[in-house]
Amino acid sequence: MSTVLGKEIQISTHALIITYLGWILLGIASFFFHTRGLLWVGYGLFFTSILYILIKNFSLLTRYFFSKTFILIFLFLLMLILFVILSAYPLTSFESFLLDYFFNITLFLFFYVLSLKDEFFKKGKVFFYILGIVSFLVFFYYLFFVFFRCNFSLQCLLFSSIAYLEDAKIKTNPMTVPLVFTATYFVAKLSEEKNKILKFVHFILFLSPSLFLLYTGRRAALMALSISLFLALFLVKNKKIKKVILWGFSILLIFIVFLAFSPYGKKIFIENRDNLALLFSKNPEDWPKAGSMGLRLHFWSVYIKMSLENPFSGTGLGRKVQKLVLSARKPSDLCAVDHGHNLFLNLALQAGWPTALIFLLFYLLTLRESYHFWRRTEEHPLVLGLFLFLLAFFIMAQFEGFEKETSFTYFWVASGMVWGLSRKFYEGGLLS
C-alpha cells in the first residue's frame, strides 16, 4: 500500500529543486549572523513548495492529519498563537512565531510528506549531503579566518579557536545543532556504505563537524554527541553497525581526552569558560560570577521560580520580548539580561507551562517512536542516525534555548522524517 501511495503522491522535480535551494540558504543562515534575509527566503521557498504539494495531493494526505502527531502540533500552534495575541509586543512576537515555530513546522510537514515517497532514499539524502558540505566548508573557512588573523602562526591558530568566532560572524551556539545533525547521520550511514570512496566521504562528513565542535570547545554538543554514541553501543545489536559506532565514539573520545589534558584543551574547555572555585561554591551568589556554567545555574534557579509563580501566563513569544518583559518585572535581577538557557524553560516563560508540556510530550513521543521504529526496521542506519540526533538534541536543549530560528529547524526536520518513514513502514512500505 505504501509503495502505491508513494507513487501517487506528487512531488515535482521543480518543487524539490526549490527546496534544495531553500535548504542551502537555511544551511548558510544556520552558521552566520546577519543572514535574516536568507532565512526568510529559505523558509519562504519551503513554504511555497509544501503549499503546492498539499494542493496537488490534498485528498491523499488529509487522512494523515488526524493522527496524535498532528493533533499535538495543532494544539502547540494554537497555544503559541494565543501568546502572540496576549503579548505586550504582538508584532515582535508574531515575527518570532513565524521564524521560530511556524516555518520550522512547515519543514516538519515537508519532510513528513517526502518520507512517504518511495524515492525518499534517493532524493532525501541530498539534504544531508548539502548540509554536510556546508558544514565542511564553514569549518575550513573559519580555520583560514583564524589562521589569517593570527598572521599564519600555528600556535596562535591552536590557542585562538574561540577568539574570532564573533569577528567571523559565526553563530556560536546555533551552529552546534546542524553539526550534530550531520555527524549523527554520517556516522550511522558509514555502516551501510560499501563503496570505499563514498565511505571515505561519509567519514570526512562525520569527522569535520566533530572537529569543528572540538576546535571551538562546544562542551554541551560534544557531551550530547558522546552520550548518544555511547548509549548506541549498548542498544545496537547489528555487529557491523556496532563496529562503526564504536569507531566513531572512540575517535571522538580520544580527541576529547587528549584535549582535556593539554594546555589548549584546558584553556578552551575550562579557563575561558568557568572559574571552578566559584562554580563549586556553596554560596549561590557566587555562581553568576563563575562563568558559563555558573550563569546557567543562576538562570535556571531564578527562571524556574519565576515561571512557576505564573505557570499559565507568559511574556509572549521571542527572546527580545522575553527579555523586555522580565526586565520590567525584576529590573535589578541579573537574570533579566538573558534567557533561560533551556529550550523547555524558555517555552514555559514565553508561552506558559501548558505549552511547554505539550511540546515536551510531542518530543518524548517522537523520541520513543524513533527508537521503536529503528528496532522494527532491524536497525536501519538512517533511522539510527535520526534517533541519535533526537537524543543528542534533547541533551543539548537542557543547556541552551534552541527554540530560536535555525537552532530549532533540525529538530523538526528529523521529527518529520521519523513520523513520515514510520507511517510509510507500518503501511507496508519498504525502507531501502
Side-chain angles (χ1 to χ4, degrees), residues 158-365:
L158 187 64
F159 283 91
S160 303
S161 62
I162 60 175
Y164 297 107
L165 281 166
E166 187 174 336
D167 291 344
K169 308 302 180 187
I170 290 180
K171 297 177 178 178
T172 309
N173 287 317
M175 76 167 184
T176 61
V177 182
L179 292 177
V180 172
F181 183 77
T182 305
T184 51
Y185 171 78
F186 284 106
V187 72
K189 184 72 174 172
L190 272 168
S191 63
E192 69 172 2
E193 188 54 65
K194 296 178 181 178
N195 184 294
K196 290 184 178 179
I197 295 176
L198 284 178
K199 207 174 188 70
F200 177 74
V201 170
H202 293 159
F203 176 72
I204 293 299
L205 292 178
F206 157 70
L207 189 63
S208 61
S210 302
L211 289 176
F212 201 171
L213 293 172
L214 283 161
Y215 181 63
T216 52
R218 299 298 95 198
R219 298 180 298 182
L222 288 169
M223 179 182 68
L225 183 57
S226 300
I227 290 174
S228 64
L229 291 176
F230 178 71
L231 290 177
L233 291 175
F234 295 94
L235 297 174
V236 172
K237 295 179 179 178
N238 184 301
K239 291 183 179 179
K240 187 176 180 182
I241 298 176
K242 188 185 285 286
K243 183 179 178 181
V244 170
I245 296 296
L246 179 60
W247 270 103
F249 175 72
S250 300
I251 290 171
L252 193 62
L253 186 63
I254 288 169
F255 274 115
I256 291 173
V257 172
F258 176 76
L259 287 174
F261 288 97
S262 69
Y264 163 70
K266 289 176 182 178
K267 182 176 181 180
I268 65 165
F269 287 132
I270 299 175
E271 293 175 10
N272 285 350
R273 306 293 179 82
D274 294 300
N275 182 319
L276 295 182
L278 293 175
L279 182 61
F280 292 108
S281 170
K282 294 180 180 180
N283 184 4
E285 293 182 2
D286 290 332
W287 293 347
K289 308 170 190 174
S292 177
M293 193 61 207
L295 282 170
R296 280 170 169 78
L297 291 172
H298 176 74
F299 292 149
W300 293 336
S301 62
V302 175
Y303 276 131
I304 289 172
K305 182 180 178 181
M306 289 177 68
S307 67
L308 292 176
E309 287 173 356
N310 300 285
F312 299 102
S313 65
T315 62
L317 304 188
R319 295 274 185 87
K320 184 177 180 180
V321 174
Q322 179 180 337
K323 179 179 176 179
L324 288 170
V325 173
L326 294 180
S327 297
R329 287 183 190 173
K330 292 192 176 183
S332 62
D333 202 309
L334 179 62
C335 77
V337 303
D338 215 322
H339 61 94
H341 288 277
N342 180 291
L343 186 155
F344 305 99
L345 183 54
N346 276 353
L347 267 173
L349 286 164
Q350 293 176 24
W353 273 108
T355 308
L357 292 175
I358 289 171
F359 174 71
L360 177 61
L361 177 59
F362 172 77
Y363 199 133
L364 294 177
L365 286 173

